[in-house]
Amino acid sequence: FPTGPLGTIYRVDLTVITSSGQNLSNAINLTVSDVDLTWITNSEAPVFYKAKLMPTQNSVVTVSALPFIYRPGSKTLISSGGLIFNWFINDKLESDKSGVGKPDLSFRVDGFPGSDNEIRLEILTEDKTISLNKFITIPVVRPQIWLYFSDPKTSLPFGTALKNLTTKATNLNFVAQIYFFTVPEKNLKWQWFINNKEVTGGGEKPWLASLNLSNISQLFSAQVQVIVKNSANDLETAQSTINLND
């Protein structure tokens, strides 16, 4: 039957009449309970990014449970210290991270981009009279990098992310913004290319590049590419390419 909000108390009565005409009855009291699951990851994104930070391969994810478990037939909440938390990742019990008073689960993502981690939490009271299960799915994504024009005064990006451009051959300032890497941008290896030839970036700020495109050719056409890698993890890499035409 559909239940009401948290803390709603129900009494369920059952009566059975036997073949001999004897009445047998019993009753139980129930209180609506639930648990909220939230998660965070240690991946990075620009300060203006307001959406959910997503995990990539090798990210650390922390899942936290906020239980609202009532003693049956009462308005008394059971504290986390009196509950058993059994954590499962993709149907595998994480026994060393499960137990009494363990409402948090941390794990390192080892799946490839496009895969999912299914997290299941089973909550039990210590006397096993109450049991509750909750599921969440956490996707694994690729690290991303996007190119923007850079404000020469502030070095901050302006406008939307760049794709292909029609522009005069000139000096252009670019800034690359990374999403979902597990280390800060200063700890990454940056490479800038014009027409597949490596050029220098921005020195102490390698995510910035001031590129002189005026002497490439009379018929101006150029491909600008930036590649960024985590030197400690070859799988943590991303690139962005734009084509410039006069």
Side-chain angles (χ1 to χ4, degrees):
F1 59 93
T3 60
L6 283 172
T8 303
I9 298 174
Y10 293 93
R11 176 183 172 88
V12 179
D13 293 279
L14 174 64
T15 299
V16 176
I17 302 176
T18 66
S19 58
S20 63
Q22 183 181 8
N23 285 337
L24 302 176
S25 63
N26 204 344
I28 58 172
N29 293 312
L30 307 173
T31 304
V32 178
S33 299
D34 200 1
V35 58
D36 290 335
L37 293 180
T38 61
W39 60 270
I40 58 173
T41 185
N42 67 333
S43 59
E44 301 271 338
V47 293
F48 57 79
Y49 180 75
K50 302 302 181 184
K52 183 80 171 177
L53 288 173
M54 304 301 291
T56 56
Q57 190 176 41
N58 211 42
S59 295
V60 174
V61 173
T62 299
V63 185
S64 297
L66 182 60
F68 301 91
I69 310 297
Y70 294 85
R71 297 194 183 280
S74 77
K75 294 281 190 177
T76 303
L77 280 169
I78 303 173
S79 70
S80 295
L83 297 170
I84 300 170
F85 296 82
N86 290 328
W87 292 99
F88 297 80
I89 301 177
N90 298 324
D91 291 326
K92 179 183 177 182
L93 174 64
E94 300 293 312
S95 55
D96 59 328
K97 300 174 183 178
S98 301
V100 177
K102 292 188 174 182
D104 300 303
L105 167 72
S106 291
F107 66 97
R108 189 172 295 277
V109 174
D110 58 8
F112 289 95
S115 63
D116 293 318
N117 288 284
E118 184 179 82
I119 309 301
R120 177 167 71 91
L121 171 62
E122 177 191 47
I123 294 182
L124 302 166
T125 52
E126 292 187 85
D127 60 7
K128 309 295 176 66
T129 59
I130 299 175
S131 175
L132 188 149
N133 284 268
K134 201 66 174 282
F135 298 81
I136 58 169
T137 299
I138 302 175
V140 183
V141 303
R142 294 183 183 277
Q144 298 180 26
I145 184 170
W146 294 91
L147 280 174
Y148 299 81
F149 281 130
S150 171
D151 185 323
K153 294 182 179 180
T154 66
S155 297
L156 295 175
F158 67 89
T160 59
L162 301 174
K163 295 184 180 179
N164 294 332
L165 294 174
T166 299
T167 182
K168 295 291 184 182
T170 183
N171 288 342
L172 294 175
N173 296 311
F174 296 98
V175 59
Q177 296 277 280
I178 59 170
Y179 296 79
F180 314 140
F181 279 81
T182 59
V183 295
E185 52 196 7
K186 64 181 180 180
N187 295 338
L188 295 169
K189 179 182 179 182
W190 294 77
Q191 294 175 285
W192 289 87
F193 298 86
I194 299 177
N195 293 339
N196 297 317
K197 181 180 179 180
E198 187 168 2
V199 295
T200 58
E204 294 182 356
K205 295 182 178 180
W207 51 93
L208 299 173
S210 180
L211 304 180
N212 184 358
L213 306 174
S214 59
N215 57 1
I216 292 177
S217 66
Q218 289 183 337
L219 181 62
F220 174 63
S221 177
Q223 184 184 78
V224 177
Q225 183 183 57
V226 59
I227 300 175
V228 61
K229 298 178 181 179
N230 180 354
S231 301
N233 178 14
D234 290 339
L235 296 176
E236 195 171 359
T237 183
Q239 67 179 44
S240 181
T241 303
I242 59 173
N243 294 304
L244 307 178
N245 296 284
D246 193 348

